[in-house]
């Protein structure tokens, strides 16, 4: 028989005419089928496990006996390729895996970048805080050091004039001999000239009172220093006159003593400081 005009019995599997409604061999009624014109060489086929008819791969049910063909088709494919058959679920999972893997990869990359960014932000935040703390501590240390230096300078400023004037007096009175009040007045003038801001002052020997009189302008910084709360200049002059008075008393010749020094304001003539033999008997600042 021509294969294009035949079909296979759904019961015995024998080749029978295409138009046969019953198998001439086993008398089994045949299903009504639309004629197909497939070239067997172009179609992969397998044998139905139930009716043994040759049917194309890929059909879900046998067109002759209505037997499900998925398993048979997969088995046939497995036998022809030598590879394990894959179910529809396996194929679905296989097709989804690359997409899931790709999605997980980019998700992990994004998470890693976020972590790195947060770490960088945290690092620079800590660095800025640490640097600001160091700068703040440094500024505080500088302020404390500046205040300390200012205090030392202020203290030195207060003591330096006194210390300097004593050294100056001793430098030019060493081994001096005072034979007259005029000699004493000359050295007292040297001391007064060394006092800061003492310009305009005059020193004279008063033979009647037996005193060395120092006249200071009432407007001079020396007098104003005695009247204010910062008497550094005034105290330097007191210390200097004490030292020169002591030197004059120690080095006066004969029985005369020319160490009595009286300081007066030129506007009133009133004494504001008196030193004798190095001892202060009057200090207007103490009054």
């Amino acid at each position: 028989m021509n294969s294009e005009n035949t079909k296979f019995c759904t019961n015995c599997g024998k080749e029978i005419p295409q138009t046969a409604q019953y198998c001439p061999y086993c008398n089994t009624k045949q299903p009504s089928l639309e004629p197909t014109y497939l070239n067997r060489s172009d179609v992969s086929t397998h044998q139905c496990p139930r009716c043994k008819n040759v049917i194309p791969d890929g059909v879900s049910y046998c067109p002759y006996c209505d037997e499900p063909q998925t398993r048979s088709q997969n088995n046939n494919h497995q036998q022809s390729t030598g590879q394990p058959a894959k179910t529809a679920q396996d194929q679905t999972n296989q097709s989804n895996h690359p997409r899931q893997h790709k999605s997980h990869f980019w998700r992990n990359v994004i998470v890693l970048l976020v972590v790195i960014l947060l770490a960088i932000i945290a690092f620079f935040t800590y660095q800025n805080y640490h640097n600001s703390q160091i700068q703040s501590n440094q500024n505080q240390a500088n302020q404390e050091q500046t205040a300390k230096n200012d205090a030392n300078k202020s203290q030195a400023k207060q003591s330096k004039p006194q210390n300097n004037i004593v050294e100056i007096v001793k430098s030019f009175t060493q081994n001096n001999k005072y034979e007259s009040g005029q000699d004493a007045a000359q050295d007292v003038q040297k001391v007064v000239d060394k006092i800061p801001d003492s310009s305009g002052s005059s020193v004279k020997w008063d033979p009647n009172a037996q005193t060395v009189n120092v006249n200071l302008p009432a407007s001079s910084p020396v007098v104003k220093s005695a009247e204010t709360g910062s008497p550094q200049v005034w105290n330097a002059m007191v210390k200097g006159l004490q030292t020169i008075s002591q030197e004059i008393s120690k080095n006066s010749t004969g029985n005369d003593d020319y160490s009595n020094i009286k300081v007066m304001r030129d506007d009133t003539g009133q004494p504001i400081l008196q030193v004798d033999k190095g001892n202060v008997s009057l200090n207007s600042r103490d009054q």
Side-chain angles (χ1 to χ4, degrees):
M1 292 185 183
N2 190 342
S3 60
E4 294 181 354
N5 298 323
T6 62
K7 60 182 180 180
F8 296 92
C9 176
T10 59
N11 181 39
C12 65
K14 292 183 179 182
E15 191 173 8
I16 61 176
Q18 179 72 28
T19 58
Q21 296 183 4
Y22 293 90
C23 176
Y25 301 100
C26 65
N27 200 31
T28 301
K29 182 175 177 59
Q30 304 299 308
S32 298
L33 299 175
E34 294 294 332
T36 59
Y37 303 95
L38 295 177
N39 190 347
R40 292 188 178 182
S41 61
D42 297 334
V43 179
S44 177
T45 61
H46 68 278
Q47 191 177 42
C48 175
R50 178 180 177 185
C51 65
K52 307 303 181 183
N53 286 318
V54 177
I55 60 177
D57 290 341
V59 296
S60 300
Y61 297 91
C62 176
Y64 301 103
C65 65
D66 204 33
E67 176 72 8
Q69 298 298 304
T70 302
R71 182 176 304 171
S72 299
Q73 182 182 357
N74 289 338
N75 291 339
N76 182 69
H77 178 73
Q78 180 179 0
Q79 292 174 0
S80 62
T81 60
Q83 297 178 353
K86 297 181 179 179
T87 63
Q89 183 66 31
D90 293 336
Q91 294 176 356
T92 302
N93 293 339
Q94 183 179 4
S95 63
N96 290 338
H97 285 167
R99 183 179 300 175
Q100 293 176 356
H101 177 73
K102 185 175 181 181
S103 176
H104 291 170
F105 171 77
W106 287 113
R107 183 188 64 186
N108 294 338
V109 170
I110 293 174
V111 171
L112 179 61
L113 292 177
V114 171
V115 171
I116 293 175
L117 179 62
L118 292 177
I120 293 174
I121 294 174
F123 173 77
F124 281 105
T125 301
Y126 172 77
Q127 283 293 101
N128 292 335
Y129 173 77
H130 183 65
N131 292 338
S132 64
Q133 287 294 107
I134 293 177
Q135 186 64 35
S136 176
N137 294 338
Q138 185 65 35
N139 292 339
Q140 183 177 0
N142 292 340
Q143 292 175 359
E144 292 177 355
Q145 185 64 35
T146 301
K148 184 177 180 180
N149 293 340
D150 292 342
N152 292 337
K153 288 180 181 179
S154 177
Q155 184 177 1
K157 185 177 180 180
Q158 295 179 9
S159 60
K160 188 174 180 180
Q162 299 183 32
N163 295 335
N164 286 348
I165 198 66
V166 171
E167 295 174 0
I168 291 171
V169 170
K170 290 185 177 181
S171 67
F172 65 76
T173 60
Q174 188 175 10
N175 299 324
N176 276 6
K177 299 297 181 181
Y178 299 96
E179 299 177 354
S180 65
Q182 194 65 31
D183 293 340
Q186 291 177 357
D187 278 359
V188 171
Q189 181 70 62
K190 293 178 182 180
V191 173
V192 174
D193 291 341
K194 296 298 181 180
I195 303 299
D197 301 320
S198 62
S199 59
S201 61
S202 62
V203 180
K204 294 181 180 179
W205 167 253
D206 184 356
N208 296 325
Q210 293 291 302
T211 59
V212 178
N213 295 335
V214 179
N215 292 315
L216 294 177
S219 60
S220 68
V222 180
V223 176
K224 292 184 178 300
S225 175
E227 299 171 351
T228 63
S230 55
Q232 291 86 0
V233 177
W234 173 260
N235 291 338
M237 188 188 69
V238 173
K239 191 67 175 179
L241 293 181
Q242 278 186 283
T243 304
I244 188 63
S245 175
Q246 188 176 11
E247 292 295 320
I248 292 173
S249 178
K250 183 169 58 177
N251 297 313
S252 292
T253 61
N255 296 326
D256 294 327
D257 190 327
Y258 311 107
S259 64
N260 193 358
I261 303 173
K262 184 185 296 184
V263 180
M264 296 174 292
R265 293 166 58 110
D266 65 354
D267 58 341
T268 62
Q270 295 295 322
I272 56 178
L273 177 66
Q274 190 163 357
V275 182
D276 189 12
K277 297 181 177 62
N279 299 317
V280 176
S281 58
L282 172 66
N283 188 341
S284 62
R285 177 166 176 78
D286 295 337
Q287 295 178 358

